[in-house]
Amino acid sequence: MPSSKSNVAIAYRTLKQAILENRLGPGTQVLEQEAATQLEMSRTPVREAMLMLQKDGLVEMRPRQGMHVVPITVGDISEIYEVLVVIETLAIRKLAENPISEEQAQKLFNSVLLVEEATEKNDLSLWTSADKKFHEDVVKFSGNVHLKSVFLQLWDRSQRARCILLKHHGKPINTGKGHGELLDLIKLGKAEEAANLQKSLRAVEESAIRDLMFEMINGVSPITKSGT
């Protein structure tokens, strides 16, 4: 029988994935008992998992109402991408300014190959995981241990909007080509060029998300109008 601690981890992982993939969309209300029944566990680990999601900034806990999935706003996206770009470009500069190890380069290259494979197969799930792995490793390999935790929280909060964009377009905005070019610049030690490339890739992505959100708002989307 799973321990209470493992049940918390299962509930957290399951609910978080549902939120990031928009199966629990912005504004969705989920009662503790409702989630506990679906997950076939008691309410206690579910409540703890929901509190963890609240710390992640993905939900708000409400008395006797369980968790409320926070809305995605245009203002949120602008602020998240503003900070995300700062973190990513800082990590890229630090990584490019020092000789990247063969092991690190190979791990990044493997992610690039997966991104390209996912693009060819139009496998959005594979593309999403490979894309995250690539950028997470770039931040990790930068050597600044504090960047990673901030990066992951921002990534999760932006992932919901990114998933909406992927499903709307049916394919990624930025393909594996951008990842490969970025890796080449990092390996060549061209820190500023690599940072500028990442800025431009994120700008294209953010612009596409903002445009889509405005379209959905005008079409009475469940995405909130707040922050426009």
Side-chain angles (χ1 to χ4, degrees), residues 7 9 11 16 18 46 55 57 80 86 88 110 119 137 146 167 169 173 175 178 181 192 194 199 217 222-223:
N7 275 339
K16 183 176 183 178
V46 170
K55 289 182 179 179
I80 289 170
V86 171
E88 288 186 316
N110 290 342
T119 301
D137 278 346
H146 299 288
K167 290 178 181 178
H169 283 277
I173 294 296
T175 65
E181 290 177 355
E192 199 59 33
K199 281 182 182 179
I217 288 168
I223 293 179

Tab-separated table of all heavy atoms in Angstrom, residues 7 9 11 16 18 46 55 57 80 86 88 110 119 137 146 167 169 173 175 178 181 192 194 199 217 222-223:
chain	number	residue	atom	x	y	z
A	7	ASN	N	1.716	9.125	-1.766
A	7	ASN	CA	0.419	9.578	-2.271
A	7	ASN	C	0.429	11.079	-2.542
A	7	ASN	O	-0.173	11.545	-3.505
A	7	ASN	CB	-0.695	9.234	-1.278
A	7	ASN	CG	-1.214	7.823	-1.452
A	7	ASN	OD1	-1.048	7.212	-2.498
A	7	ASN	ND2	-1.840	7.286	-0.408
A	9	ALA	N	3.048	12.778	-3.431
A	9	ALA	CA	3.826	12.942	-4.657
A	9	ALA	C	3.009	12.577	-5.887
A	9	ALA	O	3.057	13.270	-6.917
A	9	ALA	CB	5.088	12.080	-4.595
A	11	ALA	N	-0.343	12.598	-6.154
A	11	ALA	CA	-1.397	13.604	-6.328
A	11	ALA	C	-0.829	14.890	-6.916
A	11	ALA	O	-1.416	15.488	-7.835
A	11	ALA	CB	-2.077	13.885	-4.988
A	16	LYS	N	-0.661	18.486	-11.217
A	16	LYS	CA	0.188	19.471	-11.891
A	16	LYS	C	0.222	19.230	-13.393
A	16	LYS	O	0.101	20.169	-14.191
A	16	LYS	CB	1.607	19.417	-11.323
A	16	LYS	CG	2.541	20.464	-11.928
A	16	LYS	CD	3.904	20.421	-11.240
A	16	LYS	CE	4.825	21.490	-11.777
A	16	LYS	NZ	6.138	21.497	-11.078
A	18	ALA	N	-2.018	17.771	-15.204
A	18	ALA	CA	-3.331	18.115	-15.757
A	18	ALA	C	-3.469	19.624	-15.938
A	18	ALA	O	-4.072	20.093	-16.914
A	18	ALA	CB	-4.436	17.589	-14.846
A	46	VAL	N	-4.112	14.719	-0.846
A	46	VAL	CA	-4.592	15.601	-1.911
A	46	VAL	C	-4.503	17.055	-1.466
A	46	VAL	O	-4.079	17.927	-2.225
A	46	VAL	CB	-6.046	15.242	-2.306
A	46	VAL	CG1	-6.626	16.317	-3.230
A	46	VAL	CG2	-6.084	13.885	-2.996
A	55	LYS	N	1.906	26.955	-3.801
A	55	LYS	CA	3.244	27.541	-3.695
A	55	LYS	C	3.879	27.732	-5.076
A	55	LYS	O	4.672	28.649	-5.281
A	55	LYS	CB	4.136	26.651	-2.826
A	55	LYS	CG	3.786	26.675	-1.347
A	55	LYS	CD	4.753	25.808	-0.541
A	55	LYS	CE	4.410	25.844	0.939
A	55	LYS	NZ	5.342	24.986	1.740
A	57	GLY	N	2.329	28.667	-7.566
A	57	GLY	CA	1.639	29.755	-8.246
A	57	GLY	C	0.644	29.284	-9.289
A	57	GLY	O	0.166	30.091	-10.101
A	80	ILE	N	6.185	36.996	-17.000
A	80	ILE	CA	6.901	35.723	-16.905
A	80	ILE	C	8.005	35.642	-17.949
A	80	ILE	O	9.146	35.276	-17.643
A	80	ILE	CB	5.921	34.536	-17.071
A	80	ILE	CG1	5.035	34.417	-15.830
A	80	ILE	CG2	6.680	33.229	-17.298
A	80	ILE	CD1	3.882	33.451	-15.982
A	86	VAL	N	15.626	36.809	-18.936
A	86	VAL	CA	16.786	37.237	-18.141
A	86	VAL	C	17.526	36.019	-17.601
A	86	VAL	O	18.765	35.934	-17.676
A	86	VAL	CB	16.344	38.146	-16.973
A	86	VAL	CG1	17.518	38.404	-16.027
A	86	VAL	CG2	15.810	39.475	-17.512
A	88	GLU	N	17.409	32.822	-18.676
A	88	GLU	CA	17.965	31.988	-19.733
A	88	GLU	C	19.200	32.614	-20.372
A	88	GLU	O	20.192	31.926	-20.623
A	88	GLU	CB	16.910	31.714	-20.805
A	88	GLU	CG	15.825	30.750	-20.356
A	88	GLU	CD	14.876	30.386	-21.464
A	88	GLU	OE1	14.456	31.284	-22.221
A	88	GLU	OE2	14.545	29.193	-21.600
A	110	ASN	N	21.687	15.571	-27.674
A	110	ASN	CA	20.657	14.528	-27.637
A	110	ASN	C	19.259	15.140	-27.565
A	110	ASN	O	18.313	14.650	-28.194
A	110	ASN	CB	20.882	13.595	-26.442
A	110	ASN	CG	22.108	12.712	-26.606
A	110	ASN	OD1	22.619	12.532	-27.708
A	110	ASN	ND2	22.591	12.162	-25.500
A	119	THR	N	9.581	17.201	-34.089
A	119	THR	CA	9.073	18.124	-35.101
A	119	THR	C	8.693	17.371	-36.372
A	119	THR	O	7.635	17.617	-36.962
A	119	THR	CB	10.131	19.194	-35.428
A	119	THR	OG1	10.468	19.908	-34.229
A	119	THR	CG2	9.599	20.189	-36.456
A	137	ASP	N	18.678	21.906	-18.950
A	137	ASP	CA	20.095	21.538	-18.874
A	137	ASP	C	21.002	22.745	-19.120
A	137	ASP	O	22.071	22.859	-18.507
A	137	ASP	CB	20.413	20.432	-19.886
A	137	ASP	CG	20.037	19.052	-19.379
A	137	ASP	OD1	19.783	18.918	-18.161
A	137	ASP	OD2	19.990	18.104	-20.191
A	146	HIS	N	21.184	28.410	-8.111
A	146	HIS	CA	19.963	29.125	-7.728
A	146	HIS	C	19.079	29.456	-8.933
A	146	HIS	O	17.887	29.707	-8.777
A	146	HIS	CB	20.319	30.417	-6.982
A	146	HIS	CG	21.090	30.181	-5.718
A	146	HIS	ND1	20.521	29.649	-4.588
A	146	HIS	CD2	22.403	30.387	-5.427
A	146	HIS	CE1	21.435	29.548	-3.632
A	146	HIS	NE2	22.583	29.985	-4.122
A	167	LYS	N	-1.285	23.395	-29.327
A	167	LYS	CA	-2.503	22.743	-29.793
A	167	LYS	C	-3.207	23.578	-30.866
A	167	LYS	O	-3.806	23.043	-31.790
A	167	LYS	CB	-3.439	22.493	-28.605
A	167	LYS	CG	-2.929	21.421	-27.651
A	167	LYS	CD	-3.846	21.235	-26.464
A	167	LYS	CE	-3.307	20.172	-25.516
A	167	LYS	NZ	-4.161	19.992	-24.321
A	169	HIS	N	-1.760	25.759	-33.056
A	169	HIS	CA	-1.002	25.739	-34.315
A	169	HIS	C	-0.771	24.323	-34.829
A	169	HIS	O	-0.541	24.132	-36.025
A	169	HIS	CB	0.356	26.436	-34.121
A	169	HIS	CG	0.263	27.932	-34.088
A	169	HIS	ND1	0.218	28.696	-35.210
A	169	HIS	CD2	0.203	28.795	-33.038
A	169	HIS	CE1	0.131	29.974	-34.878
A	169	HIS	NE2	0.117	30.063	-33.564
A	173	ILE	N	6.261	26.669	-32.607
A	173	ILE	CA	6.662	27.911	-33.261
A	173	ILE	C	8.158	27.872	-33.557
A	173	ILE	O	8.609	28.212	-34.647
A	173	ILE	CB	6.341	29.133	-32.368
A	173	ILE	CG1	4.816	29.281	-32.216
A	173	ILE	CG2	6.933	30.408	-32.955
A	173	ILE	CD1	4.087	29.577	-33.508
A	175	THR	N	11.339	25.503	-34.038
A	175	THR	CA	11.679	24.118	-34.330
A	175	THR	C	13.053	23.760	-33.770
A	175	THR	O	13.713	24.567	-33.126
A	175	THR	CB	11.685	23.884	-35.850
A	175	THR	OG1	12.737	24.676	-36.431
A	175	THR	CG2	10.363	24.289	-36.470
A	178	GLY	N	16.390	26.097	-34.213
A	178	GLY	CA	16.794	27.114	-33.250
A	178	GLY	C	17.609	26.529	-32.116
A	178	GLY	O	18.593	27.133	-31.669
A	181	GLU	N	21.147	25.742	-33.490
A	181	GLU	CA	21.950	26.956	-33.681
A	181	GLU	C	22.428	27.490	-32.341
A	181	GLU	O	23.575	27.951	-32.214
A	181	GLU	CB	21.122	28.017	-34.402
A	181	GLU	CG	20.828	27.691	-35.865
A	181	GLU	CD	19.944	28.727	-36.513
A	181	GLU	OE1	19.481	29.650	-35.804
A	181	GLU	OE2	19.713	28.617	-37.729
A	192	GLU	N	27.447	36.311	-26.434
A	192	GLU	CA	26.492	37.383	-26.745
A	192	GLU	C	25.579	36.983	-27.900
A	192	GLU	O	24.371	37.257	-27.873
A	192	GLU	CB	27.246	38.673	-27.080
A	192	GLU	CG	26.390	39.934	-26.969
A	192	GLU	CD	25.814	40.132	-25.569
A	192	GLU	OE1	26.472	39.763	-24.589
A	192	GLU	OE2	24.684	40.659	-25.469
A	194	ALA	N	24.735	33.949	-28.754
A	194	ALA	CA	23.832	32.917	-28.247
A	194	ALA	C	22.707	33.541	-27.424
A	194	ALA	O	21.529	33.171	-27.561
A	194	ALA	CB	24.607	31.912	-27.402
A	199	LYS	N	16.965	35.392	-27.007
A	199	LYS	CA	16.030	36.504	-26.845
A	199	LYS	C	15.061	36.569	-28.010
A	199	LYS	O	13.850	36.747	-27.831
A	199	LYS	CB	16.796	37.830	-26.748
A	199	LYS	CG	17.418	38.115	-25.405
A	199	LYS	CD	18.093	39.486	-25.441
A	199	LYS	CE	18.785	39.807	-24.129
A	199	LYS	NZ	19.472	41.127	-24.174
A	217	ILE	N	-9.610	35.837	-26.222
A	217	ILE	CA	-10.364	36.781	-25.395
A	217	ILE	C	-11.523	37.362	-26.205
A	217	ILE	O	-12.660	37.436	-25.743
A	217	ILE	CB	-9.453	37.919	-24.888
A	217	ILE	CG1	-8.503	37.375	-23.822
A	217	ILE	CG2	-10.282	39.072	-24.312
A	217	ILE	CD1	-7.378	38.312	-23.467
A	222	PRO	N	-12.145	30.905	-22.152
A	222	PRO	CA	-12.063	30.781	-20.699
A	222	PRO	C	-10.851	31.478	-20.123
A	222	PRO	O	-10.753	31.688	-18.930
A	222	PRO	CB	-11.960	29.265	-20.478
A	222	PRO	CG	-11.451	28.720	-21.774
A	222	PRO	CD	-12.042	29.616	-22.815
A	223	ILE	N	-9.878	31.840	-20.983
A	223	ILE	CA	-8.737	32.612	-20.504
A	223	ILE	C	-9.239	34.000	-20.096
A	223	ILE	O	-9.964	34.648	-20.841
A	223	ILE	CB	-7.649	32.755	-21.583
A	223	ILE	CG1	-7.038	31.389	-21.868
A	223	ILE	CG2	-6.575	33.738	-21.178
A	223	ILE	CD1	-5.980	31.387	-22.914
